[in-house]
Amino acid sequence: MLVPASRDSGANIAKWKFEERKRHKLEERVYKGIPDRWRAAAWYTLIEGMATFIATSPLPGKGKEREVLRQERLIAEYHDAIDLPSTFDIQIDLDVPRTISGHVMFKTRYGLGQRSMFHVLHSFSLHCESCGYCQGMGPLAATLLSYMEPERVYICLVRLHDDYDTHDIFLPGFSGLLEAFYVQEKVMQKMLPGVYAVFKQNMISTTAYAVKWYITLFANTLSYQTQLRLWDVYFLEGKDVLVLMAISILWVFKDNLLSKEASFESILNLLSSFYVMEDDDALMAWLRRAMSDRKLRRDMALWREEWKELVRTHQERDALL
């Protein structure tokens, strides 16, 4: 499925691409689960593919040529930023040892893994003045560092920021989060009307339980293996899959949430838990069916536009649970 796209001067593979004659199988293979030894190459190629497709960079050129220039610029930007001061350095240094500390790469204080994480987060905090740094960035950087070298992790974070709209999630005020919550609640009304009614009755807002889901891309919510499977799909499909992942969690706990004994405290305790899915394959099959529902996808796009209009007219406060 993956074949070499280019090699460096030493004939080592510098870049991968998906084999064109097998591209029609890409979705099936990704939902099935990318083999772990191929995950670094596949993730980077998927993210690069999204960036090439969107092509929002102001650099000259088109498509792949523009993306090559962008990659070279980002590598230089990463190395230049390491030596620059950031107002977030103290907070980053406090957060690094608390991020995925059980992973062998990040156990040792000021070991190679923690230093790499600090450098990536430090440089990324300087990339966008509006976003700066927030704690949700740590698990993203740590997971990516488990598979890639720091320069590529930095490139991936920038592409997630620019091309997957995590800029709006990390932005002060979390405008992207609120949009995701609005879409999630609309999907709940369609798929889980009973759960939506219970939440409304108990005055349970989506912000009370779902912030950490979206801001870390479910890194502190799902088991590591399930998180990796979700990220496989996210890098292929984009942000809609995060909303549907949230819906799938609510669906799994539907009976508990609709129970007569359910209360404000018990519901929030349940939704703040760490989830271990019984069957990752069943979860991915459900996500694939949902993502293939064209009407649902059109509705989600319309709801995102509705939210933008509500924000423009200052009516967003009453639109959420």
Side-chain angles (χ1 to χ4, degrees):
M1 192 91 194
L2 278 168
V3 294
S6 63
R7 295 180 181 270
D8 60 23
S9 57
N12 299 303
I13 299 172
K15 186 178 178 182
W16 296 88
K17 65 179 180 181
F18 292 108
E19 198 171 359
E20 285 300 328
R21 66 186 181 88
K22 294 184 179 179
R23 184 169 282 274
H24 65 285
K25 295 184 177 180
L26 179 60
E27 179 186 307
E28 178 186 348
R29 296 288 178 86
V30 169
Y31 275 96
K32 187 177 180 181
I34 297 171
D36 203 54
R37 61 183 174 181
W38 285 103
R39 199 160 254 136
W43 278 4
Y44 193 81
T45 306
L46 287 170
I47 293 171
E48 185 179 53
M50 178 71 78
T52 303
F53 174 76
I54 295 174
T56 56
S57 171
L59 291 170
K62 295 182 179 180
K64 294 181 180 179
E65 294 80 6
R66 179 184 295 181
E67 187 55 31
V68 169
L69 289 173
R70 186 186 185 198
Q71 178 174 311
E72 293 174 352
R73 185 197 67 183
L74 289 175
I75 291 174
E77 181 181 290
Y78 168 73
H79 288 291
D80 291 343
I82 286 178
D83 295 325
L84 298 176
S86 169
T87 56
F88 299 98
D89 281 347
I90 293 176
Q91 187 59 52
I92 293 171
D93 187 54
L94 290 172
D95 291 340
V96 162
R98 300 184 293 212
T99 304
I100 315 187
S101 56
H103 194 289
V104 66
M105 268 190 71
F106 309 111
K107 278 187 174 182
T108 304
R109 187 64 170 131
Y110 300 118
L112 179 61
Q114 289 197 14
R115 293 201 309 274
S116 296
M117 195 194 311
F118 179 87
H119 289 154
V120 168
L121 294 173
H122 162 86
S123 296
F124 189 61
S125 73
L126 297 170
H127 173 73
C128 176
E129 292 183 4
S130 302
C131 293
Y133 165 79
C134 69
Q135 286 183 322
M137 297 174 181
L140 306 189
T143 303
L144 291 169
L145 279 168
S146 301
Y147 291 93
M148 306 177 196
E149 58 270 27
E151 291 86 353
R152 288 203 164 195
V153 172
Y154 178 77
I155 291 172
C156 287
L157 288 177
V158 171
R159 285 171 172 160
L160 292 176
H161 173 277
D162 296 348
D163 305 322
Y164 287 76
D165 296 332
T166 58
H167 166 78
D168 295 333
I169 290 179
F170 295 137
L171 201 64
F174 304 113
S175 58
L177 275 179
L178 297 178
E179 177 187 292
F181 295 163
Y182 181 75
V183 176
Q184 178 185 319
E185 290 175 12
K186 288 292 187 180
V187 178
M188 285 174 65
Q189 291 177 57
K190 185 182 177 105
M191 290 187 172
L192 298 167
V195 173
Y196 181 84
V198 167
F199 282 15
K200 191 170 185 178
Q201 178 184 345
N202 287 278
M203 295 186 290
I204 297 174
S205 67
T206 310
T207 56
Y209 64 87
V211 171
K212 72 171 185 176
W213 291 1
Y214 290 94
I215 207 168
T216 65
L217 307 185
F218 292 86
N220 292 329
T221 302
L222 304 171
S223 67
Y224 192 60
Q225 188 57 45
T226 307
Q227 175 204 335
L228 297 178
R229 294 281 301 273
L230 175 64
W231 283 28
D232 292 345
V233 177
Y234 171 64
F235 294 146
L236 173 70
E237 301 278 23
K239 59 187 177 182
D240 280 356
V241 77
L242 300 179
V243 173
L244 294 175
M245 182 67 231
I247 294 297
S248 72
I249 292 175
L250 298 176
W251 187 285
V252 167
F253 292 110
K254 179 174 60 173
D255 291 342
N256 302 81
L257 298 173
L258 295 176
S259 168
K260 292 181 179 179
E261 288 75 30
S263 63
F264 179 87
E265 292 80 9
S266 66
I267 290 173
L268 283 187
N269 284 338
L270 180 63
L271 296 179
S272 300
S273 304
F274 183 81
Y275 307 112
V276 179
M277 296 295 176
E278 287 186 16
D279 188 339
D280 286 347
D281 291 332
L283 170 64
M284 293 301 133
W286 185 88
L287 286 176
R288 187 179 183 186
R289 286 196 301 273
M291 290 294 290
S292 300
D293 186 332
R294 293 183 179 180
K295 185 179 186 306
L296 177 61
R297 297 295 298 279
R298 285 196 301 269
D299 288 343
M300 292 174 76
L302 287 173
W303 291 328
R304 291 188 189 279
E305 293 304 315
E306 275 183 20
W307 176 256
K308 289 180 174 63
E309 180 62 21
L310 289 170
V311 171
R312 190 185 67 79
T313 56
H314 307 289
Q315 300 178 58
E316 73 275 15
R317 181 170 296 181
D318 299 324
L320 296 172
L321 283 174

